[in-house]
mmCIF file of all heavy atoms in Angstrom:
data_model
loop_
_atom_site.group_PDB
_atom_site.id
_atom_site.type_symbol
_atom_site.label_atom_id
_atom_site.label_comp_id
_atom_site.label_asym_id
_atom_site.label_seq_id
_atom_site.Cartn_x
_atom_site.Cartn_y
_atom_site.Cartn_z
ATOM 1 N N GLU W 171 18.160 25.507 17.191
ATOM 2 C CA GLU W 171 17.058 24.596 16.788
ATOM 3 C C GLU W 171 15.699 25.209 17.115
ATOM 4 O O GLU W 171 15.532 25.869 18.164
ATOM 5 C CB GLU W 171 17.221 23.282 17.527
ATOM 6 C CG GLU W 171 16.269 22.177 17.125
ATOM 7 C CD GLU W 171 16.455 21.703 15.686
ATOM 8 O OE1 GLU W 171 17.473 22.044 15.045
ATOM 9 O OE2 GLU W 171 15.575 21.008 15.210
ATOM 10 N N VAL W 176 4.733 22.490 22.722
ATOM 11 C CA VAL W 176 3.657 23.245 23.324
ATOM 12 C C VAL W 176 3.164 22.516 24.581
ATOM 13 O O VAL W 176 3.376 21.337 24.744
ATOM 14 C CB VAL W 176 2.458 23.433 22.358
ATOM 15 C CG1 VAL W 176 2.840 24.361 21.196
ATOM 16 C CG2 VAL W 176 1.936 22.111 21.837
ATOM 17 N N SER W 191 -9.799 13.386 16.542
ATOM 18 C CA SER W 191 -10.597 12.204 16.815
ATOM 19 C C SER W 191 -11.528 11.885 15.673
ATOM 20 O O SER W 191 -12.102 12.764 15.033
ATOM 21 C CB SER W 191 -11.417 12.472 18.088
ATOM 22 O OG SER W 191 -12.226 11.349 18.349
ATOM 23 N N LYS W 208 6.176 10.927 14.843
ATOM 24 C CA LYS W 208 6.563 12.331 14.643
ATOM 25 C C LYS W 208 5.461 13.331 14.963
ATOM 26 O O LYS W 208 5.679 14.536 15.057
ATOM 27 C CB LYS W 208 6.965 12.544 13.175
ATOM 28 C CG LYS W 208 8.249 11.815 12.802
ATOM 29 C CD LYS W 208 8.690 12.149 11.400
ATOM 30 C CE LYS W 208 10.019 11.510 11.102
ATOM 31 N NZ LYS W 208 10.210 11.327 9.647
ATOM 32 N N ARG W 229 -23.254 7.349 5.086
ATOM 33 C CA ARG W 229 -22.732 8.063 6.219
ATOM 34 C C ARG W 229 -21.998 9.341 5.831
ATOM 35 O O ARG W 229 -21.829 10.241 6.675
ATOM 36 C CB ARG W 229 -21.748 7.186 6.990
ATOM 37 C CG ARG W 229 -22.370 6.078 7.799
ATOM 38 C CD ARG W 229 -21.282 5.296 8.530
ATOM 39 N NE ARG W 229 -21.831 4.262 9.382
ATOM 40 C CZ ARG W 229 -21.104 3.413 10.084
ATOM 41 N NH1 ARG W 229 -19.794 3.491 10.020
ATOM 42 N NH2 ARG W 229 -21.685 2.527 10.854
ATOM 43 N N GLY W 242 -22.028 8.380 13.535
ATOM 44 C CA GLY W 242 -22.762 7.949 14.723
ATOM 45 C C GLY W 242 -21.902 7.320 15.800
ATOM 46 O O GLY W 242 -22.360 6.392 16.492
ATOM 47 N N VAL W 246 -15.576 0.569 19.265
ATOM 48 C CA VAL W 246 -15.489 -0.803 19.799
ATOM 49 C C VAL W 246 -15.911 -0.922 21.249
ATOM 50 O O VAL W 246 -16.059 -2.024 21.772
ATOM 51 C CB VAL W 246 -14.038 -1.345 19.643
ATOM 52 C CG1 VAL W 246 -13.667 -1.466 18.176
ATOM 53 C CG2 VAL W 246 -13.035 -0.460 20.398
ATOM 54 N N GLU W 249 -14.181 -1.760 26.773
ATOM 55 C CA GLU W 249 -13.493 -2.991 27.114
ATOM 56 C C GLU W 249 -12.548 -3.432 25.983
ATOM 57 O O GLU W 249 -11.374 -3.731 26.215
ATOM 58 C CB GLU W 249 -14.554 -4.069 27.361
ATOM 59 C CG GLU W 249 -14.030 -5.225 28.207
ATOM 60 C CD GLU W 249 -15.079 -6.357 28.302
ATOM 61 O OE1 GLU W 249 -16.266 -6.033 28.493
ATOM 62 O OE2 GLU W 249 -14.684 -7.518 28.173
ATOM 63 N N VAL W 298 -18.306 16.635 23.922
ATOM 64 C CA VAL W 298 -19.634 17.065 24.337
ATOM 65 C C VAL W 298 -20.357 17.686 23.126
ATOM 66 O O VAL W 298 -21.302 18.463 23.275
ATOM 67 C CB VAL W 298 -19.645 18.087 25.476
ATOM 68 C CG1 VAL W 298 -19.123 17.440 26.753
ATOM 69 C CG2 VAL W 298 -18.807 19.306 25.122
ATOM 70 N N SER W 299 -19.911 17.333 21.941
ATOM 71 C CA SER W 299 -20.386 18.082 20.789
ATOM 72 C C SER W 299 -20.595 17.264 19.510
ATOM 73 O O SER W 299 -20.627 17.833 18.434
ATOM 74 C CB SER W 299 -19.425 19.244 20.506
ATOM 75 O OG SER W 299 -18.065 18.758 20.556
ATOM 76 N N SER W 344 -17.422 31.209 23.548
ATOM 77 C CA SER W 344 -16.500 31.588 24.621
ATOM 78 C C SER W 344 -17.133 31.343 26.011
ATOM 79 O O SER W 344 -16.410 31.053 26.986
ATOM 80 C CB SER W 344 -16.086 33.048 24.500
ATOM 81 O OG SER W 344 -17.214 33.871 24.354
ATOM 82 N N ALA W 355 -10.975 22.352 33.371
ATOM 83 C CA ALA W 355 -10.436 21.830 32.158
ATOM 84 C C ALA W 355 -9.098 22.477 31.842
ATOM 85 O O ALA W 355 -8.847 23.612 32.226
ATOM 86 C CB ALA W 355 -11.370 22.051 30.983
ATOM 87 N N ASP W 356 -8.185 21.723 31.197
ATOM 88 C CA ASP W 356 -6.869 22.251 30.895
ATOM 89 C C ASP W 356 -6.817 22.937 29.536
ATOM 90 O O ASP W 356 -5.907 23.716 29.280
ATOM 91 C CB ASP W 356 -5.841 21.094 30.892
ATOM 92 C CG ASP W 356 -5.744 20.459 32.269
ATOM 93 O OD1 ASP W 356 -5.030 21.021 33.113
ATOM 94 O OD2 ASP W 356 -6.406 19.437 32.505
ATOM 95 N N LEU W 364 -19.886 21.414 12.081
ATOM 96 C CA LEU W 364 -21.137 22.216 12.029
ATOM 97 C C LEU W 364 -22.250 21.345 11.494
ATOM 98 O O LEU W 364 -22.054 20.568 10.528
ATOM 99 C CB LEU W 364 -20.928 23.394 11.091
ATOM 100 C CG LEU W 364 -20.043 24.534 11.593
ATOM 101 C CD1 LEU W 364 -19.280 25.177 10.491
ATOM 102 C CD2 LEU W 364 -20.878 25.549 12.349
ATOM 103 N N ALA W 368 -27.709 17.804 3.080
ATOM 104 C CA ALA W 368 -27.710 17.884 1.611
ATOM 105 C C ALA W 368 -28.799 16.983 1.084
ATOM 106 O O ALA W 368 -29.096 15.941 1.665
ATOM 107 C CB ALA W 368 -26.352 17.458 1.079
ATOM 108 N N ILE W 378 -27.798 11.875 3.334
ATOM 109 C CA ILE W 378 -27.278 11.128 4.467
ATOM 110 C C ILE W 378 -28.418 10.488 5.214
ATOM 111 O O ILE W 378 -29.459 11.133 5.459
ATOM 112 C CB ILE W 378 -26.469 12.086 5.404
ATOM 113 C CG1 ILE W 378 -25.136 12.380 4.690
ATOM 114 C CG2 ILE W 378 -26.242 11.525 6.761
ATOM 115 C CD1 ILE W 378 -24.151 13.079 5.560
ATOM 116 N N VAL W 381 -30.092 12.176 8.040
ATOM 117 C CA VAL W 381 -30.658 13.438 7.599
ATOM 118 C C VAL W 381 -29.622 14.600 7.726
ATOM 119 O O VAL W 381 -29.297 15.238 6.748
ATOM 120 C CB VAL W 381 -31.963 13.843 8.325
ATOM 121 C CG1 VAL W 381 -32.524 15.154 7.704
ATOM 122 C CG2 VAL W 381 -33.014 12.717 8.185
ATOM 123 N N GLY W 384 -22.256 16.206 10.176
ATOM 124 C CA GLY W 384 -21.326 17.262 10.606
ATOM 125 C C GLY W 384 -20.477 17.691 9.444
ATOM 126 O O GLY W 384 -19.848 16.877 8.775
ATOM 127 N N GLY W 387 -13.886 20.136 6.847
ATOM 128 C CA GLY W 387 -13.107 20.489 5.643
ATOM 129 C C GLY W 387 -12.938 21.971 5.500
ATOM 130 O O GLY W 387 -13.447 22.759 6.321
ATOM 131 N N ALA W 396 -12.887 32.106 13.528
ATOM 132 C CA ALA W 396 -13.623 33.138 14.286
ATOM 133 C C ALA W 396 -13.936 32.657 15.689
ATOM 134 O O ALA W 396 -13.917 33.415 16.628
ATOM 135 C CB ALA W 396 -14.877 33.531 13.542
ATOM 136 N N GLY W 411 -6.970 24.503 18.039
ATOM 137 C CA GLY W 411 -7.767 24.951 16.880
ATOM 138 C C GLY W 411 -8.008 23.788 15.934
ATOM 139 O O GLY W 411 -7.049 23.050 15.602
ATOM 140 N N VAL W 412 -9.223 23.611 15.509
ATOM 141 C CA VAL W 412 -9.512 22.525 14.559
ATOM 142 C C VAL W 412 -10.694 22.929 13.686
ATOM 143 O O VAL W 412 -11.671 23.514 14.136
ATOM 144 C CB VAL W 412 -9.772 21.214 15.312
ATOM 145 C CG1 VAL W 412 -10.739 21.353 16.469
ATOM 146 C CG2 VAL W 412 -10.301 20.105 14.401
ATOM 147 N N ALA W 421 -2.527 26.112 9.548
ATOM 148 C CA ALA W 421 -2.151 25.872 10.947
ATOM 149 C C ALA W 421 -1.635 27.190 11.573
ATOM 150 O O ALA W 421 -2.012 27.551 12.701
ATOM 151 C CB ALA W 421 -1.067 24.796 11.030
ATOM 152 N N ALA W 427 -4.613 33.264 15.430
ATOM 153 C CA ALA W 427 -5.948 33.545 15.989
ATOM 154 C C ALA W 427 -6.074 33.152 17.451
ATOM 155 O O ALA W 427 -7.091 33.424 18.075
ATOM 156 C CB ALA W 427 -7.021 32.877 15.167
ATOM 157 N N THR W 430 -3.084 27.308 20.671
ATOM 158 C CA THR W 430 -1.796 26.831 21.147
ATOM 159 C C THR W 430 -1.335 25.635 20.335
ATOM 160 O O THR W 430 -0.159 25.396 20.108
ATOM 161 C CB THR W 430 -1.925 26.418 22.643
ATOM 162 O OG1 THR W 430 -2.266 27.574 23.393
ATOM 163 C CG2 THR W 430 -0.653 25.822 23.157
ATOM 164 N N GLU W 447 3.850 16.854 6.989
ATOM 165 C CA GLU W 447 4.128 18.002 6.121
ATOM 166 C C GLU W 447 3.868 19.339 6.855
ATOM 167 O O GLU W 447 4.611 20.295 6.655
ATOM 168 C CB GLU W 447 3.241 17.900 4.873
ATOM 169 C CG GLU W 447 3.619 16.773 3.932
ATOM 170 C CD GLU W 447 2.627 16.530 2.793
ATOM 171 O OE1 GLU W 447 1.761 17.405 2.564
ATOM 172 O OE2 GLU W 447 2.741 15.499 2.150
ATOM 173 N N GLU W 450 6.785 20.088 9.237
ATOM 174 C CA GLU W 450 7.914 20.626 8.478
ATOM 175 C C GLU W 450 7.648 22.080 8.046
ATOM 176 O O GLU W 450 8.506 22.936 8.130
ATOM 177 C CB GLU W 450 8.185 19.774 7.228
ATOM 178 C CG GLU W 450 8.848 18.439 7.521
ATOM 179 C CD GLU W 450 10.065 18.598 8.409
ATOM 180 O OE1 GLU W 450 10.981 19.359 8.045
ATOM 181 O OE2 GLU W 450 10.099 17.970 9.472
ATOM 182 N N CYS W 456 8.942 29.302 10.890
ATOM 183 C CA CYS W 456 9.720 29.903 11.996
ATOM 184 C C CYS W 456 11.055 30.427 11.477
ATOM 185 O O CYS W 456 11.477 31.543 11.841
ATOM 186 C CB CYS W 456 9.944 28.909 13.145
ATOM 187 S SG CYS W 456 8.447 28.514 14.031
#
Side-chain angles (χ1 to χ4, degrees):
Chain W
E171 186 66 12
V176 292
S191 178
K208 292 186 174 155
R229 288 181 176 178
V246 296
E249 202 186 317
V298 293
S299 46
S344 51
D356 297 280
L364 287 147
I378 285 190
V381 184
V412 48
T430 297
E447 290 171 13
E450 285 311 305
C456 290

